[in-house]
Amino acid sequence: MFERPNAGERAILVHLDLYAGQEDLYELKELARSAGAEPVSVLHGSRHKPDPKYFIGSGKLIELRQLIIDCEADIVLVNHPLSPSQERNLEKELNVRVVDRNGLILDIFAQRAQTFEGKLQVELAQLQHLSTRLVRGWTHLERQKGGIGLRGPGETQLETDRRLLGIRIKQIRQRLQKVEKQRSQGRSKRKKVETPSVSLVGYTNAGKSTLFNSLTQAGIYAANQLFATLDPTLRQLSLSRGGNLVLADTVGFIRHLPHELVAAFKSTLQEASEADLLLHVVDANAEDRDETICQVNEVLEQIGAQDVPQLMVFNKIDLLDNIEPHIDLRDDGSPERVWMSSINGQGKDQLDQALTMIFASSRVRRKCFLNPGQGGIRARLFDSANILHETVNEQGGWEMDVEIDKKSLGLLKNVRIKEIS
């Protein structure tokens, strides 16, 4: 496992402009702060391709070594993925801990995970990342066990570590399979009662958890930092015109999300891939909002959720000038975007209206005649339908004018009904 940086650890950030690819420096600073590090300086550079030995080249290595001394830095954070040999060579030359972008994200995930499932997922991702570091990782691990009473069949320490690592990865995967099975059973149960599922997705720190709390009063942790929440939370959401949804808050996405995390969080992200609708939350105030939208769509494609219908939610309009809450419609009249602010509640009515418009196409009106012994059906109608009008008849039964989802018409199979156009 990784040694987690201590809070307030002084960090040098290394950022290269590579013609083969580009990461965001501001995002690296936010990742560093989210991990508990204190960025004290940035080493800039420009290369056509990374140096195979040190990634930054020998000249920049000398400059970085002096920068560490001058700033009394404890750790170097590199804004790019490093190969195991590059990471090892840099640590040997600099005598400080070197963490690449993927390792930094994994460390933040390790700090944020709260549930049993979340901790297992993070540990699996870390071990998969660490397994690549065991390949020619440390020369002292290549010696065979020896000494009187210690001479074994010839297995080197490196091979032993690799074998134990593989055993632990297998154990975690087996546990996660059980958790995934439980989640699958929960989704199947929701489908049986025909409750539509809606998943919040979006770039990290776009305000998904704040929006989730605003809609459901769930009280989950929300903060102005990257990956504030990891563990998925599901709550029932009732629309103003009747009908219930299951709303799921998922992990935030980021540029080039490490493939270890995508694989480890498969069961969590499956809530998005199997949803009836995705609420794609966007920071409307972000300068690179179009780019973040593309990044989220790339991750959705990785998890097989690219074909799930989306409703764009442009959040944080309280930070913009002259933008009022409103709904943007497509040519066919269906909602495409909702502009709102989850922090102060502006636009909640518009979001409710948009969700109602999306799911209203599958709703029909019926007049129901319930006898006094059908009180249980009446209670279920109040849970899953929009009750437009109700009267009590002379026999003590009920006459109800309801708007109900077509999928829930099975509730009325033993009820005398009349269609209302």
Side-chain angles (χ1 to χ4, degrees):
M1 301 300 292
F2 296 116
E3 294 179 6
R4 220 176 278 167
N6 295 322
E9 194 164 5
R10 298 171 64 83
I12 302 292
L13 309 184
V14 176
H15 178 77
L16 295 188
D17 293 326
L18 295 173
Y19 295 97
Q22 180 66 27
E23 301 290 357
D24 185 20
L25 178 58
Y26 171 79
E27 191 169 86
L28 176 64
K29 293 179 180 178
E30 291 302 306
L31 285 171
R33 294 188 181 99
S34 296
E38 177 191 355
V40 293
S41 185
V42 178
L43 177 69
H44 292 275
S46 179
R47 295 181 65 91
H48 285 277
K49 61 180 181 180
D51 179 78
K53 186 173 183 180
Y54 297 116
F55 186 83
I56 57 175
S58 56
K60 285 293 179 182
L61 180 65
I62 296 174
E63 186 178 343
L64 178 57
R65 187 187 295 120
Q66 187 59 46
L67 199 58
I68 292 171
I69 296 173
D70 294 342
C71 297
E72 298 181 347
D74 310 297
I75 190 170
V76 171
L77 303 177
V78 183
N79 198 20
H80 313 271
L82 297 176
S83 69
S85 61
Q86 288 170 339
E87 185 177 301
R88 184 175 64 254
N89 292 336
L90 283 173
E91 289 188 344
K92 183 178 179 181
E93 292 292 332
L94 301 174
N95 292 318
V96 295
R97 182 85 167 96
V98 176
V99 178
D100 68 356
R101 177 185 172 84
N102 289 356
L104 182 59
I105 294 174
L106 287 170
D107 184 88
I108 297 172
F109 271 56
Q111 294 182 51
R112 300 284 191 270
Q114 299 294 326
T115 65
F116 174 72
E117 178 188 4
K119 291 176 181 179
L120 280 179
Q121 290 170 324
V122 170
E123 185 179 356
L124 176 60
Q126 285 187 317
L127 290 176
Q128 289 173 330
H129 183 76
L130 180 61
S131 64
T132 65
R133 267 59 188 163
L134 286 180
V135 180
R136 295 185 178 274
W138 295 271
T139 55
H140 73 275
L141 295 181
E142 295 174 355
R143 295 195 300 268
Q144 292 184 359
K145 294 177 181 178
I148 298 175
L150 294 176
R151 293 187 180 93
E155 185 180 60
T156 65
Q157 184 63 46
L158 180 60
E159 290 169 341
T160 301
D161 289 349
R162 188 182 293 118
R163 176 171 53 80
L164 294 176
L165 202 63
I167 292 173
R168 179 59 180 164
I169 289 175
K170 183 179 179 180
Q171 291 173 341
I172 294 176
R173 281 178 172 161
Q174 289 174 343
R175 292 184 182 180
L176 284 175
Q177 284 176 356
K178 294 181 180 179
V179 176
E180 186 173 349
K181 184 178 180 180
Q182 293 171 349
R183 285 193 172 277
S184 179
Q185 291 172 342
R187 284 191 292 267
S188 299
K189 185 176 180 180
R190 293 198 299 270
K191 288 181 179 179
K192 285 182 180 179
V193 297
E194 308 294 356
T195 304
S197 61
V198 178
S199 285
L200 292 170
V201 298
Y203 209 74
T204 182
N205 206 29
K208 295 185 305 303
S209 296
T210 303
L211 175 60
F212 188 84
N213 287 335
S214 177
L215 295 175
T216 66
Q217 287 75 51
I220 62 174
Y221 179 70
N224 184 25
Q225 57 185 199
L226 304 187
F227 304 118
T229 53
L230 293 184
D231 302 305
T233 306
L234 282 74
R235 291 290 187 276
Q236 181 172 285
L237 174 64
S238 298
L239 299 179
S240 60
R241 289 190 57 192
N244 294 321
L245 308 173
V246 172
L247 190 63
D249 186 23
T250 59
V251 63
F253 300 154
I254 199 170
R255 290 177 182 85
H256 306 148
L257 192 66
H259 69 275
E260 296 99 339
L261 284 175
V262 175
F265 280 74
K266 180 181 176 182
S267 63
T268 299
L269 297 174
Q270 202 165 2
E271 293 289 348
S273 63
E274 298 195 10
D276 297 299
L277 177 71
L278 299 179
L279 289 187
H280 186 161
V281 184
V282 180
D283 183 352
N285 188 51
E287 296 180 358
D288 59 345
R289 71 184 186 193
D290 292 336
E291 184 180 349
T292 62
I293 291 173
C294 293
Q295 294 291 336
V296 171
N297 287 330
E298 284 184 13
V299 178
L300 290 174
E301 188 171 354
Q302 289 180 17
I303 63 176
Q306 68 274 14
D307 296 327
V308 180
Q310 288 189 24
L311 173 63
M312 305 294 294
V313 179
F314 279 63
N315 191 25
K316 303 185 182 182
I317 64 169
D318 53 296
L319 302 178
L320 301 175
D321 295 328
N322 303 319
I323 297 292
E324 295 296 325
H326 66 279
I327 302 174
D328 292 336
L329 301 177
R330 299 185 179 90
D331 294 337
D332 61 1
S334 62
E336 181 179 15
R337 285 181 295 271
V338 177
W339 297 76
M340 65 173 298
S341 171
S342 57
I343 196 72
N344 59 23
Q346 287 183 315
K348 280 180 63 176
D349 292 340
Q350 284 79 1
L351 179 59
D352 180 274
Q353 179 184 348
L355 290 172
T356 300
M357 292 171 65
I358 291 172
F359 292 103
S361 60
S362 62
R363 299 176 74 84
V364 294
R365 283 187 65 182
R366 295 288 187 270
K367 188 161 188 174
C368 307
F369 302 90
L370 281 69
N371 61 49
Q374 293 179 316
I377 296 177
R378 175 177 175 270
R380 294 183 66 184
L381 285 174
F382 270 94
D383 283 338
S384 58
N386 183 23
I387 310 301
L388 303 176
H389 183 69
E390 181 188 36
T391 58
V392 180
N393 57 32
E394 295 178 355
Q395 291 76 32
W398 303 271
E399 294 181 10
M400 305 175 68
D401 185 0
V402 303
E403 189 179 55
I404 188 170
D405 194 287
K406 292 177 181 177
K407 296 179 179 179
S408 301
L409 284 174
L411 288 175
L412 307 178
K413 62 182 180 180
N414 296 320
V415 176
R416 186 165 63 91
I417 61 173
K418 178 182 177 181
E419 292 189 14
I420 302 176
S421 58

